[in-house]
Amino acid sequence: AYSGLIDALWAARKPADVADACREGLRGGTPVAPVYFNFHLAHALADLGEADGALAAADRAILQTGDPDRLTVRLGKLRVLRALEKWDDAIAFGPELLDAID
């Protein structure tokens, strides 16, 4: 249900509501992995210009992810850096992306 809700909120361009849904999901009581919520929370907060929260959520998602999703989650952090216009940080993050490919 959370996946459908979050997809619908993104389609409606409602990042604040995405962030609220993710925070609710992170409070527990759902079988959905926390990495899913932190991944979307990071993007929503970046879209809202909340840099510190966005980067913290992106880093939490990276720590929570398993090998199959390692590259996808790190690419998500790159999207967050781009949305926040943190160009130097995005460039510096490049080597970590390459490590995720190996």
Side-chain angles (χ1 to χ4, degrees):
Y2 273 104
S3 176
L5 172 61
I6 289 171
D7 286 347
L9 292 171
W10 277 126
R13 294 187 172 99
K14 295 186 174 192
D17 292 337
V18 170
D20 289 342
C22 290
R23 287 183 183 117
E24 180 182 318
L26 286 165
R27 281 193 283 275
T30 176
V32 178
V35 63
Y36 176 82
F37 293 118
N38 277 312
F39 181 85
H40 287 283
L41 178 60
H43 294 170
L45 294 176
D47 287 354
L48 294 168
E50 297 180 29
D52 292 341
L55 292 170
D59 288 337
R60 280 191 304 271
I62 288 170
L63 292 173
Q64 295 166 333
T65 195
D67 284 340
D69 298 318
R70 185 173 43 170
L71 180 59
T72 300
V73 173
R74 283 170 175 78
L75 286 170
K77 181 174 180 178
L78 186 63
R79 179 186 175 273
V80 166
L81 291 167
R82 186 183 72 210
L84 296 170
E85 297 183 359
K86 293 188 171 283
W87 309 118
D88 291 337
D89 293 340
I91 291 167
F93 189 63
E96 187 170 336
L97 287 173
L98 293 174
D99 290 342
I101 295 171
D102 295 335

